[in-house]
Amino acid sequence: MKGYANNILYINLRTGKTKTEPLGEEMARKFLGGAGFGIKMITDYQRPNTDAFDPENPIVYSCGTFCGMMVSGSASKWGVAAKSPQSQGLGESYSTGFFGSELRRAGYDIVVVTGKAERPSYLYLEDDSVQILDASHLWGKNNWDTEDIIKSDLGDPGVRVASIGPAGEKLVRFSAIINDRLRAAGRTGMGAVMGSKNLKAVAVRGFNDVEVADVDGFKEMALEIYEKTKGPETEKYRNLGTAANVLTLNKQAAMPTRNWQDAVFEKADKISGEASNEMYVEKIQACDSCGMRCEHVAVVREGPFKGAIGRVEYEPSYAFGSCTGVDRPDAIVRAVQLCDLYGTDALSTGVVVAFAMEAYEKGIITKEDTGGIELEFGNAEGMCDMVEKIALREDIGDLLAEGVERAAAKLGKGSEKFAMHIKGVEMTGYDVRGLKTCALGYAVSRRGADHQRHGAYGPDLGGQVDRFKAEKGRGQLVIDGEDLYSVMDSLIICKFSRRIWDYESYAKMYTLATGIPMTAEEMRRCGERISNLGKIYNLREGIGREKDTLPIRCMTDPIKSGVAKGSLVTQEELDLLLDDYYETRGWSKEGIPSDAKLKELGLESYAGYLEDLKNTDSKKKSGKKKTTKKTKRD
């Protein structure tokens, strides 16, 4: 089988034992890579109801299908999956840079790590050599220093490193894994899972060739894709990056402001991509083999944040800008840098700080709690100081490090009404109150609040549907996006290039690379299979319909200004959207896949996980009192 390295590596940090198994063509054909491999492996190898911080919670690193190949926007994409410390459900995150291609060249498609090392350790994989090395001298170091020291210790600047910072060591629940200094596998707390295993970093070096099945055909198509990635479909990302969305979403009253108290930021022009590009962006660079060249690196040359370096994107501009009421790009760059250094997800971190700002202004927390910080909205210095306190678990930062759901549960006093999360994962930057299709996508997202699992803002903002209306048919739109994104996250292909691909071209490239025949319909079916397996995993871990919901504020507080003024999502609207989505998926009213659907997708071996849930569902329909089976955790 070409394309793949054909190896799964298993490492037990407690025993020090390692082994490899062949990947197998069936695994490759049904689950592709990246997301598919990650979800499949944690479903199969994690004991049901294992806590995210249990040493036996496996963490799975996986290559995208085209890792190590010259496919623009895909050549070095990698993913990581484990049970999430935030949701206690499916955790998954994706990154790029150069780490993924090095992992494939080292000879691995998947690396599964279990157990907890006795002392701080890091993994070094160099072709067939697998070493668990002492990381005591790295513990407490930030990510950039960690990368530099490991390369120096190994005497090889070509080593690629994916590491955690102090936040991951201290089990901040939204800790990230950082590679190549500026790239993050940020969402769902995968860095904290590494920390719980005393695993500081994974370093890789590979010297193997990555062989493709049809060299001439592959080169021809790869060149065609490369030229397209330099064309008009991706121009926005080259010029301004995703920060181009700041003014667009603000005009559409879809840019959450001051912890979602509104959806229009009156100072958006100050934090726009245009402003950042003019004042701070000094370099635009690309990932391995990519023609898009979208990474806008900003440098602050003067002022209180002098020396700060960070990538300028839309999401951190929302999280550390409009959501916290901060209108200074230099402060946003500094906050992003702090997240890279300490190792936290910039998105969650910004939303957590915004939550704390509202709690401060409402008198729920005080200056004594914050360690002297006057944490009002718009306080740029206070925002950056709080990022550090969260990462180091100092003062109120210790509680905030648990995320807004857990912090609100502890603080009380009505704070749960402005805790902006779904399934314990903080909201990304699309105000769903005036985007009803997108609201459904967020509610059912398998990894919690997220736009990257479905892209359902597209039909709303693109005018394909009435964005303010909830109606039947939106379920199909969300499903189409979910299954497509499951394919993209498995192959793993950059979503910035989504307009130059379709199922036909995904299938053709896959066949040219691997030699495994694949049609467009089979590729689409892979996406549906992976989406359903993600749902099965979450159901098994106790995440059902009651968690497919929206933050309280999105259902009680209408948008105050702009073209979406007065918009919110009622419970009646959400129920209508969920019912339509579940029915279209072929699931029950409680969101449980039917036996027929499992068989259709080749997932019938997982039916046992759903039996108890189906019995409960049947009793609900018949009006019988619900009984709850005790679990190991109970």
Side-chain angles (χ1 to χ4, degrees):
M1 187 168 60
K2 303 293 186 181
Y4 296 98
N6 297 309
N7 281 319
I8 304 174
L9 172 64
Y10 298 86
I11 302 169
N12 188 313
L13 292 173
R14 181 180 63 82
T15 64
K17 292 183 177 178
T18 68
K19 68 174 182 178
T20 57
E21 290 181 350
L23 179 69
E25 183 171 325
E26 183 179 1
M27 175 75 163
R29 183 170 45 78
K30 292 178 72 173
F31 295 97
L32 303 175
F37 285 177
I39 294 171
K40 166 76 171 165
M41 296 302 286
I42 66 168
T43 305
D44 289 356
Y45 287 92
Q46 180 219 300
R47 189 177 67 248
N49 298 314
T50 298
D51 187 85
F53 290 148
D54 188 304
E56 296 312 310
N57 179 25
I59 185 166
V60 178
Y61 307 85
S62 56
C63 292
T65 307
F66 303 128
C67 253
M69 306 176 204
M70 53 185 182
V71 178
S72 185
S74 186
S76 192
K77 296 281 189 181
W78 63 282
V80 56
K83 190 165 193 178
S84 167
Q86 291 184 278
S87 67
Q88 290 292 338
L90 178 61
E92 55 177 323
S93 198
Y94 306 92
S95 184
T96 183
F98 298 85
F99 178 85
S101 54
E102 203 68 30
L103 182 60
R104 172 63 56 73
R105 292 189 191 107
Y108 306 104
D109 302 303
I110 301 170
V111 178
V112 182
V113 179
T114 55
K116 179 178 181 179
E118 287 187 2
R119 60 178 183 270
S121 302
Y122 76 94
L123 297 174
Y124 180 48
L125 316 179
E126 182 181 327
D127 295 340
D128 293 334
S129 172
V130 178
Q131 300 178 63
I132 303 173
L133 301 176
D134 182 22
S136 299
H137 61 306
L138 301 172
W139 210 247
K141 301 289 187 187
N142 68 50
N143 281 299
W144 295 2
D145 288 344
T146 297
E147 180 177 335
D148 291 344
I149 294 170
I150 287 176
K151 288 182 176 181
S152 176
D153 286 351
L154 296 173
D156 185 350
V159 169
R160 298 293 177 179
V161 178
S163 64
I164 62 170
E169 298 168 13
K170 294 177 180 295
L171 307 185
V172 174
R173 288 185 183 269
F174 41 91
S175 297
I177 302 170
I178 304 294
N179 65 282
D180 299 296
R181 298 176 82 84
L182 300 178
R183 288 291 177 177
R187 305 242 74 200
T188 66
M190 298 297 93
V193 176
M194 283 181 65
S196 72
K197 297 181 179 301
N198 272 340
L199 180 59
K200 180 67 177 177
V202 180
V204 294
R205 189 71 161 115
F207 298 94
N208 295 298
D209 291 332
V210 178
E211 298 182 6
V212 299
D214 182 341
V215 175
D216 291 338
F218 181 86
K219 285 169 65 177
E220 182 179 352
M221 188 169 181
L223 180 59
E224 178 186 332
I225 293 294
Y226 181 79
E227 292 299 329
K228 287 182 178 178
T229 58
K230 297 193 297 181
E233 296 291 356
T234 62
E235 186 177 11
K236 157 184 158 182
Y237 302 109
R238 283 194 302 281
N239 291 343
L240 296 176
T242 57
N245 292 337
V246 170
L247 296 182
T248 302
L249 289 174
N250 199 56
K251 186 178 180 181
Q252 294 295 327
M255 187 167 187
T257 298
R258 284 182 284 278
N259 197 35
W260 294 65
Q261 295 185 55
D262 205 349
V264 178
F265 186 41
E266 67 280 3
K267 299 175 181 177
D269 59 320
K270 293 187 175 181
I271 61 168
S272 66
E274 289 83 349
S276 295
N277 241 24
E278 182 179 340
M279 294 186 290
Y280 297 106
V281 172
E282 294 197 356
K283 183 167 63 173
I284 304 174
Q285 59 192 24
C287 296
D288 191 349
S289 303
C290 185
M292 281 185 285
R293 204 172 62 91
C294 70
E295 188 172 276
H296 289 59
V297 181
V299 181
V300 179
R301 294 293 181 189
E302 58 185 15
F305 305 113
K306 183 180 178 180
I309 301 173
R311 285 173 54 216
V312 179
E313 301 286 354
Y314 169 71
E315 292 293 342
S317 296
Y318 138 73
F320 292 120
S322 65
C323 202
T324 58
V326 170
D327 62 357
R328 290 174 51 178
D330 58 342
I332 294 171
V333 174
R334 176 57 178 163
V336 170
Q337 182 189 33
L338 290 171
C339 291
D340 289 342
L341 291 170
Y342 287 110
T344 62
D345 173 33
L347 257 170
S348 278
T349 305
V351 176
V352 169
V353 173
F355 165 82
M357 286 177 163
E358 185 163 352
Y360 184 86
E361 291 198 349
K362 285 182 161 61
I364 297 172
I365 62 175
T366 66
K367 196 171 177 178
E368 185 177 345
D369 298 318
T370 64
I373 299 172
E374 295 179 353
L375 202 60
E376 295 101 343
F377 284 113
N379 182 349
E381 288 82 3
M383 174 185 74
C384 290
D385 290 344
M386 189 51 65
V387 171
E388 292 190 274
K389 284 185 177 292
I390 290 170
L392 298 174
R393 284 186 174 271
E394 294 176 348
D395 299 316
I396 194 69
D398 187 33
L399 177 61
L400 297 174
E402 295 292 297
V404 297
E405 181 186 34
R406 290 173 174 82
K410 185 76 179 291
L411 289 172
K413 300 179 181 178
S415 60
E416 69 279 2
K417 294 179 180 175
F418 56 85
M420 304 307 297
H421 73 92
I422 296 173
K423 301 181 179 79
V425 180
E426 287 74 20
M427 293 289 280
T428 59
Y430 291 79
D431 198 314
V432 299
R433 287 172 290 191
L435 304 168
K436 297 295 171 70
T437 316
C438 191
L440 173 61
Y442 268 68
V444 300
S445 168
R446 65 183 184 232
R447 74 172 183 184
D450 196 40
H451 60 287
Q452 289 280 30
R453 303 277 67 74
H454 48 80
Y457 52 87
D460 287 326
L461 292 170
Q464 183 180 344
V465 296
D466 181 349
R467 56 181 276 198
F468 300 114
K469 186 176 182 180
E471 60 185 350
K472 294 190 74 170
R474 302 302 174 92
Q476 186 64 61
L477 291 175
V478 171
I479 290 166
D480 289 345
E482 284 182 326
D483 293 347
L484 176 62
Y485 277 22
S486 284
V487 168
M488 296 189 77
D489 286 334
S490 297
L491 291 174
I492 309 174
I493 289 178
C494 179
K495 296 193 174 79
F496 298 169
S497 65
R498 61 189 180 277
R499 291 187 178 86
I500 64 176
W501 292 86
D502 55 23
Y503 281 123
E504 195 73 43
S505 52
Y506 294 140
K508 182 179 178 182
M509 183 65 89
Y510 184 84
T511 300
L512 290 170
T514 67
I516 300 172
M518 180 76 76
T519 66
E521 173 55 24
E522 287 169 337
M523 185 61 73
R524 187 205 63 76
R525 186 56 62 94
C526 283
E528 185 181 7
R529 181 181 300 115
I530 294 162
S531 295
N532 273 266
L533 187 56
K535 181 66 176 179
I536 291 168
Y537 175 86
N538 272 341
L539 286 167
R540 188 187 77 177
E541 301 303 312
I543 296 179
R545 177 170 179 140
E546 73 285 356
K547 296 286 184 73
D548 285 350
T549 188
L550 297 171
I552 295 172
R553 172 161 279 167
C554 290
M555 303 179 72
T556 56
D557 296 358
I559 292 173
K560 293 176 180 174
S561 58
V563 298
K565 183 178 180 180
S567 294
L568 51 69
V569 181
T570 66
Q571 185 63 58
E572 183 181 11
E573 288 178 318
L574 181 60
D575 286 340
L576 183 155
L577 292 167
L578 287 177
D579 288 346
D580 176 51
Y581 171 85
Y582 291 156
E583 182 181 355
T584 309
R585 270 280 183 212
W587 299 350
S588 73
K589 277 269 188 184
E590 295 301 313
I592 303 169
S594 65
D595 289 341
K597 176 57 68 176
L598 297 183
K599 186 174 182 181
E600 177 187 322
L601 297 173
L603 298 174
E604 56 268 40
S605 62
Y606 296 97
Y609 290 138
L610 307 179
E611 282 307 311
D612 287 350
L613 296 171
K614 287 177 182 172
N615 292 335
T616 303
D617 197 15
S618 299
K619 288 174 182 176
K620 280 185 179 180
K621 287 178 183 174
S622 65
K624 291 182 179 178
K625 187 177 179 180
K626 176 183 175 182
T627 58
T628 303
K629 184 176 180 179
K630 276 190 168 294
T631 65
K632 290 180 180 178
R633 186 186 299 171
D634 294 329

